[in-house]
Amino acid sequence: MTAGAPGPVDDSDDKGGLRAALSGLTTRGRSFLAAGVAAAVCAYVLGQGDLLRVGLLLAVLPLVCVTVLYRTRYRVAGSRRLSPSRVPAGSEARVHLRMDNVSRLHTGLLMLQDRVPYVLGPRPRFVLDRVEPGGVREVSYRVRSDLRGRYPLGPLQLQLSDPFGMCELSRSFSAYDTLVVVPRTEPLPPLRLAGAATGYGDGRARSLALAGEDDIIPRGYRHGDDLRRVHWRSTARYGELMVRREEQPQRARCTVLLDTRRIAYRAAGPGSAFEWAVSGAASALMHMLERGFAVRLLTDEGSVVPGESADGFAGSTQDSADSAGLMMDTLAVVDHSDGGGLSRAYDVLRGGNEGLLVAFFGDLDEEQTAVAARMRQRSRGAVAFVLDGDDWARGAEAVPAAPVSERLRLLREAGWTAMAVPPGTELARLWQQAGEEGGGQSSAAGSTTGLSGGWS
């Protein structure tokens, strides 16, 4: 994927004037200038003509280098290409830099430098030899981050120097690009979602079998309609031009709820409970999109990633890759919220037509456990992964405390398939366990309440 390219840089630009050029004197150049001035003063005091000539030579040489470098007239253009521009945390991306000499003169010795945030590694520097007119030089470097986020790359900087190393001038391009580091995702085992609800689980397959992918419903012709869609039988019947209208069956839905409350998590960093929850939400989103679900990302603040539908679901008519990219970009920069409850997320869930609800919770007190329990009434199936901050602070040997077990019991009584998340546990294993436990719960619930859409 090609990133934005900086435009040409004219190294004869008068930005900063000659004063800026003099400020580019290196330590060697300043030493020569100081030594020349000192020798000239000593020669004047002592009356030594030969020493005066030496002093003038030492003083004039750096000034001549500054003048020559300042008046150098050539133009170079640079571009940057990221491969890829979106990477999971812990993976590497390669940055390709290209320099073109668009002038009619040979360039001098160039040092190319790209600005990168410190979390991506050391600042890359490259020394480019003389570039002929119309010549091209290409270099590349790698970047890597264990922390998700959006990181600017650039702008590019060129450092010009004279053959004697007396003066160095810097020129900067104006454009920069962005590397998106998204959360790590785990491949999840495919689980059959049972239930005869329309647009959910197996019910979607049955809808396709009954209605078909191209259900013909005629409607009146409108300006701009493809004439190949004309339905001649309906046209003859109604006496006006009719076209086929494609009606797609209702798509299975899934809402992924991410609890971002600051008070729900204890620590921070790549191995923290919050980062596990973000990674788990990303894995669930990717898994459900791959299975053909219309997916929505919801946070405790009630914010929803914009989708193609009014209620935020994406993936039904939009390309799944675009939907996944938008949600992963959102998760790349998601941070703790200052909210203290889940009531806003509860208000977003309408009730009964939300399909599957997959939630990643932090610490839940009694009040928030009750709110989460009521969410189950607004979905046909619900799976919760509960992370206890104290357990994660104690490490991998922690045993779920009694309050956590009580919260899980309350959620299960409300119909949730609730799973405790010990520190360092893989989501794929918990996902499989949730499917096994959810199958038994949905069978029992179906025999008493008629609910469908549980896990099996």
Side-chain angles (χ1 to χ4, degrees):
M1 177 179 179
T2 302
V9 169
D10 188 352
D11 291 312
S12 64
D13 196 356
D14 290 335
K15 290 181 179 179
L18 188 59
R19 181 179 300 178
L22 289 173
S23 66
L25 283 171
T26 62
T27 302
R28 179 184 300 177
R30 295 176 186 273
S31 299
F32 267 66
L33 183 60
V37 172
V41 171
C42 292
Y44 176 78
V45 173
L46 300 177
Q48 297 292 327
D50 294 337
L51 183 59
L52 178 62
R53 286 189 288 270
V54 172
L56 291 177
L57 176 63
L58 293 176
V60 168
L61 180 60
L63 297 179
V64 171
C65 292
V66 168
T67 303
V68 172
L69 193 62
Y70 173 71
R71 297 184 60 84
T72 299
R73 297 182 179 273
Y74 54 83
R75 293 172 61 86
V76 293
S79 62
R80 181 190 298 105
R81 179 170 57 89
L82 305 181
S83 177
S85 60
R86 182 188 294 116
V87 296
S91 300
E92 290 184 344
R94 183 168 289 275
V95 183
H96 302 269
L97 304 178
R98 175 188 171 105
M99 301 301 302
D100 297 84
N101 183 9
V102 296
S103 67
R104 299 181 180 179
L105 301 175
H106 283 81
T107 69
L109 191 66
L110 303 177
M111 188 177 78
L112 182 64
Q113 177 177 273
D114 204 8
R115 292 184 179 178
V116 300
Y118 71 95
V119 296
L120 297 182
R123 180 172 296 183
R125 293 182 175 88
F126 305 93
V127 177
L128 305 181
D129 203 354
R130 291 167 56 89
V131 183
E132 66 279 5
V136 176
R137 296 292 185 272
E138 293 184 357
V139 293
S140 65
Y141 64 93
R142 294 177 295 179
V143 291
R144 178 181 180 275
S145 174
D146 292 327
L147 300 175
R148 56 186 176 80
R150 295 173 62 90
Y151 300 102
L153 300 178
L156 281 170
Q157 286 185 326
L158 277 179
Q159 195 171 71
L160 316 175
S161 62
D162 64 278
F164 299 102
M166 298 290 181
C167 181
E168 293 180 350
L169 296 181
S170 297
R171 295 290 186 266
S172 296
F173 295 94
S174 59
Y176 66 92
D177 303 300
T178 302
L179 175 68
V180 181
V181 181
V182 300
R184 295 186 183 94
T185 59
E186 296 182 38
L188 303 179
L191 301 176
R192 185 177 64 85
L193 303 179
T198 304
Y200 179 76
D202 293 344
R204 176 175 178 266
R206 285 190 284 272
S207 296
L208 293 177
L210 293 175
E213 285 287 356
D214 190 11
D215 190 14
I216 300 175
I217 300 177
R219 61 168 174 81
Y221 176 82
R222 299 172 185 170
H223 179 70
D225 285 339
D226 191 345
L227 292 178
R228 290 174 295 181
R229 287 292 183 188
V230 174
H231 193 252
W232 297 109
R233 182 178 300 177
S234 299
T235 299
R237 179 179 178 183
Y238 293 102
E240 61 176 318
L241 202 59
M242 306 291 291
V243 296
R244 296 191 303 269
R245 178 174 58 187
E246 297 180 358
E247 182 175 301
Q248 297 297 333
Q250 187 178 1
R251 194 182 186 89
R253 289 184 167 192
C254 176
T255 298
V256 177
L257 172 60
L258 176 62
D259 182 9
T260 64
R261 296 171 299 138
R262 189 181 304 274
I263 61 175
Y265 302 94
R266 296 288 184 273
S272 64
F274 180 68
E275 292 301 324
W276 192 100
V278 173
S279 178
S283 301
L285 286 170
M286 296 298 294
H287 178 74
M288 303 312 289
L289 282 172
E290 291 172 357
R291 293 202 59 192
F293 279 66
V295 181
R296 174 176 62 179
L297 175 61
L298 177 65
T299 67
D300 58 287
E301 293 189 315
S303 58
V304 179
V305 177
E308 68 232 27
S309 61
D311 48 5
F313 283 93
S316 54
T317 59
Q318 187 180 355
D319 185 77
S320 295
D322 296 336
S323 302
L326 180 61
M327 294 181 183
M328 294 298 286
D329 288 348
T330 302
L331 290 176
V333 296
V334 69
D335 201 358
H336 291 291
S337 68
D338 295 327
L342 303 170
S343 57
R344 293 183 180 179
Y346 174 77
D347 293 337
V348 174
L349 300 174
R350 295 183 176 181
N353 61 347
E354 299 299 327
L356 177 65
L357 175 61
V358 180
F360 294 85
F361 293 122
D363 286 339
L364 296 174
D365 55 21
E366 293 183 3
E367 180 182 355
Q368 301 311 315
T369 302
V371 175
R374 293 197 300 270
M375 290 181 183
R376 176 62 181 86
Q377 303 172 3
R378 299 197 167 190
S379 62
R380 290 195 173 94
V383 184
F385 299 93
V386 182
L387 298 88
D388 183 74
D390 294 333
D391 289 349
W392 281 74
R394 288 193 297 267
E397 302 299 328
V399 178
V404 180
S405 302
E406 179 65 18
R407 298 167 200 155
L408 295 175
R409 183 187 65 81
L410 294 175
L411 291 176
R412 288 165 182 164
E413 289 180 354
W416 283 85
T417 301
M419 304 295 298
V421 181
T425 306
E426 295 182 357
L427 176 61
R429 183 165 65 86
L430 291 176
W431 190 268
Q432 184 69 42
Q433 293 178 3
E436 296 171 356
E437 294 187 11
Q441 291 183 10
S442 64
S443 299
S447 63
T448 58
T449 63
L451 294 174
S452 60
W455 290 51
S456 64

